[in-house]
Amino acid sequence: MLKPLRICACLLAAVLLSGMFPCQAAAVSTSATSAILMDVDSGRVLYEQNADAKMLIASTTKILTALVAIEEGDLSATVKVSREAAYTEGSSMYLKEGETVTLETLLYGLLLCSGNDAAVAVAEGVSGSVDKFVDQMNEKAKALGMNHSSFANPNGLDDEKHYSTARDMAILACAAVENETLVRIASTLQITIGGRTMTNHNKLLSYIDGCIGLKTGYTMAAGRTLVSCVERNGQRLVAVTLQDGNDWADHQALYEYGFAAYPISRAAVLGQPLETAEVLGGAEDTVPLVAAESFAWPLAEGEKLTTEVELDQPLTAPLSAGTRVGEAVFRLNGKEVGRVDLLCGAGVAPRLEPALHQLHLALPE
């Protein structure tokens, strides 16, 4: 048995050590069969669990349906509801055969009510048939780099040819949140449009500050599926959980972990000086180099970006402000993670003395 004095010494050592090493964000885990947490702007994966397993995805499919429809269709266009659409099984916005609805109304029914009927009506309205629309979905998925996904319908009903992975769905979500129209619809809590009042099924909009959507899903075979996005302090993260009976809590935990463990670090700000460079033959010896665009990267505690300037050629006066002269390359642990163009932050005239000397040489004696 430890003596009281030794116990006190151990406790004191623990207290001192805790002061020396700041608390790090606690590790996270989920109840999901497959899950991922990704930073939107960098694409960096902050957490993953079985993220490349091919899974049924249920109604999270409708993120892709909405994205294709918004890009290819006209929100104000009207769609006549077919019998096939009106009698589609599963969740519904309660369309009636023969009624006329705008594409925008259908998209609210798709993303808020998770209407399988809306998905079919959207597909028929945009592409003329479900089959043609599904072809467009698969083309879009391929273009986004969703290399382990296949889509057989616009609503997510179970099909052996309809599947994705948590990683692919995160890639889709990152693309979807760049579409302002999709975000506007997916983040709406409730709306009355086209004579219908619709309420969003996504409880995270109320549970998590900064949540901007995206989509819930469920079938008996797929279980509960959820894709969401949260924005805080200019940083956006997307979370995906597939076959997760505790998805609301898991998404909350993933975001608390992600924002705490991987805060965004801004390495370059549009229009702000990033480095200085030597100028040959100039009235000024150096010129500030400003970033042509902003660059940020999520960093864990102890990580640091390094910046290397790569000039196209040595800088020689005269130089005009705004001229592109090279790039700043950002690396993490020696691996390149991004680069931005560098511009002259000021004009630099030639040095006066050499210029007068050249003029003197050109004059007759």
Side-chain angles (χ1 to χ4, degrees), residues 57-60 91 114 156 158 216-225:
I57 56 172
S59 285
T60 57
S91 54
S114 198
D158 298 333
T216 60
Y218 174 80
T219 68
M220 189 170 292
R224 293 178 62 86
T225 62

Short mmCIF file of all heavy atoms in Angstrom, two decimals, residues 57-60 91 114 156 158 216-225:
data_model
loop_
_atom_site.label_atom_id
_atom_site.label_comp_id
_atom_site.label_asym_id
_atom_site.label_seq_id
_atom_site.Cartn_x
_atom_site.Cartn_y
_atom_site.Cartn_z
N ILE A 57 -27.55 3.91 -48.60
CA ILE A 57 -27.50 5.29 -48.10
C ILE A 57 -28.88 5.92 -47.92
O ILE A 57 -29.00 7.05 -47.45
CB ILE A 57 -26.65 6.17 -49.02
CG1 ILE A 57 -27.15 6.12 -50.46
CG2 ILE A 57 -25.18 5.77 -48.94
CD1 ILE A 57 -26.47 7.12 -51.39
N ALA A 58 -29.93 5.19 -48.32
CA ALA A 58 -31.31 5.66 -48.13
C ALA A 58 -31.49 7.08 -48.70
O ALA A 58 -30.93 7.41 -49.75
CB ALA A 58 -31.70 5.58 -46.65
N SER A 59 -32.23 7.93 -47.98
CA SER A 59 -32.63 9.22 -48.54
C SER A 59 -31.53 10.28 -48.58
O SER A 59 -31.76 11.38 -49.11
CB SER A 59 -33.83 9.77 -47.77
OG SER A 59 -35.00 9.08 -48.14
N THR A 60 -30.34 9.98 -48.05
CA THR A 60 -29.25 10.93 -48.25
C THR A 60 -28.91 11.04 -49.74
O THR A 60 -28.27 12.00 -50.17
CB THR A 60 -27.99 10.53 -47.45
OG1 THR A 60 -27.60 9.21 -47.82
CG2 THR A 60 -28.28 10.57 -45.95
N SER A 91 -41.67 7.66 -47.76
CA SER A 91 -41.93 9.03 -47.30
C SER A 91 -42.41 9.90 -48.46
O SER A 91 -42.04 9.69 -49.61
CB SER A 91 -40.66 9.63 -46.69
OG SER A 91 -39.59 9.54 -47.60
N SER A 114 -38.47 14.80 -47.32
CA SER A 114 -37.84 13.58 -47.84
C SER A 114 -38.79 12.82 -48.74
O SER A 114 -38.84 11.59 -48.72
CB SER A 114 -37.36 12.67 -46.69
OG SER A 114 -36.42 11.73 -47.15
N GLY A 156 -33.38 6.90 -53.18
CA GLY A 156 -32.62 6.14 -52.19
C GLY A 156 -33.27 4.86 -51.74
O GLY A 156 -32.79 4.23 -50.79
N ASP A 158 -34.01 1.01 -51.52
CA ASP A 158 -33.01 -0.05 -51.57
C ASP A 158 -32.94 -0.70 -52.94
O ASP A 158 -33.96 -1.04 -53.55
CB ASP A 158 -33.33 -1.12 -50.52
CG ASP A 158 -33.29 -0.58 -49.10
OD1 ASP A 158 -32.56 0.40 -48.86
OD2 ASP A 158 -34.01 -1.12 -48.24
N THR A 216 -31.36 13.67 -43.93
CA THR A 216 -31.55 12.45 -43.16
C THR A 216 -31.93 11.30 -44.10
O THR A 216 -32.27 11.52 -45.26
CB THR A 216 -32.69 12.63 -42.15
OG1 THR A 216 -33.89 12.93 -42.89
CG2 THR A 216 -32.40 13.78 -41.20
N GLY A 217 -31.90 10.08 -43.59
CA GLY A 217 -32.34 8.94 -44.38
C GLY A 217 -32.61 7.73 -43.52
O GLY A 217 -32.04 7.57 -42.44
N TYR A 218 -33.52 6.87 -44.02
CA TYR A 218 -33.78 5.61 -43.31
C TYR A 218 -34.52 4.63 -44.22
O TYR A 218 -35.48 5.01 -44.91
CB TYR A 218 -34.65 5.83 -42.06
CG TYR A 218 -35.05 4.52 -41.41
CD1 TYR A 218 -34.16 3.84 -40.59
CD2 TYR A 218 -36.30 3.95 -41.67
CE1 TYR A 218 -34.52 2.61 -40.02
CE2 TYR A 218 -36.65 2.74 -41.12
CZ TYR A 218 -35.76 2.07 -40.29
OH TYR A 218 -36.11 0.85 -39.74
N THR A 219 -34.04 3.43 -44.24
CA THR A 219 -34.82 2.27 -44.69
C THR A 219 -34.46 1.15 -43.71
O THR A 219 -33.44 1.23 -43.01
CB THR A 219 -34.49 1.81 -46.12
OG1 THR A 219 -33.16 1.27 -46.15
CG2 THR A 219 -34.62 2.94 -47.14
N MET A 220 -35.26 0.11 -43.68
CA MET A 220 -34.99 -0.97 -42.75
C MET A 220 -33.63 -1.61 -43.03
O MET A 220 -32.88 -1.95 -42.12
CB MET A 220 -36.09 -2.03 -42.81
CG MET A 220 -35.99 -3.09 -41.73
SD MET A 220 -37.45 -4.14 -41.66
CE MET A 220 -38.68 -2.96 -41.09
N ALA A 221 -33.30 -1.74 -44.32
CA ALA A 221 -32.03 -2.36 -44.69
C ALA A 221 -30.84 -1.43 -44.46
O ALA A 221 -29.77 -1.85 -44.02
CB ALA A 221 -32.06 -2.81 -46.14
N ALA A 222 -31.02 -0.15 -44.76
CA ALA A 222 -29.92 0.82 -44.63
C ALA A 222 -29.72 1.27 -43.20
O ALA A 222 -28.62 1.69 -42.81
CB ALA A 222 -30.17 2.04 -45.52
N GLY A 223 -30.78 1.20 -42.39
CA GLY A 223 -30.72 1.78 -41.06
C GLY A 223 -30.78 3.30 -41.17
O GLY A 223 -31.16 3.86 -42.20
N ARG A 224 -30.39 3.97 -40.10
CA ARG A 224 -30.42 5.43 -40.08
C ARG A 224 -29.15 5.96 -40.75
O ARG A 224 -28.03 5.56 -40.43
CB ARG A 224 -30.52 5.95 -38.65
CG ARG A 224 -31.86 5.63 -37.98
CD ARG A 224 -31.88 6.15 -36.55
NE ARG A 224 -31.76 7.59 -36.50
CZ ARG A 224 -32.76 8.45 -36.61
NH1 ARG A 224 -34.00 7.99 -36.80
NH2 ARG A 224 -32.56 9.74 -36.53
N THR A 225 -29.33 6.88 -41.70
CA THR A 225 -28.21 7.53 -42.37
C THR A 225 -28.36 9.04 -42.21
O THR A 225 -29.49 9.55 -42.18
CB THR A 225 -28.17 7.16 -43.86
OG1 THR A 225 -29.37 7.62 -44.51
CG2 THR A 225 -28.06 5.65 -44.05
#
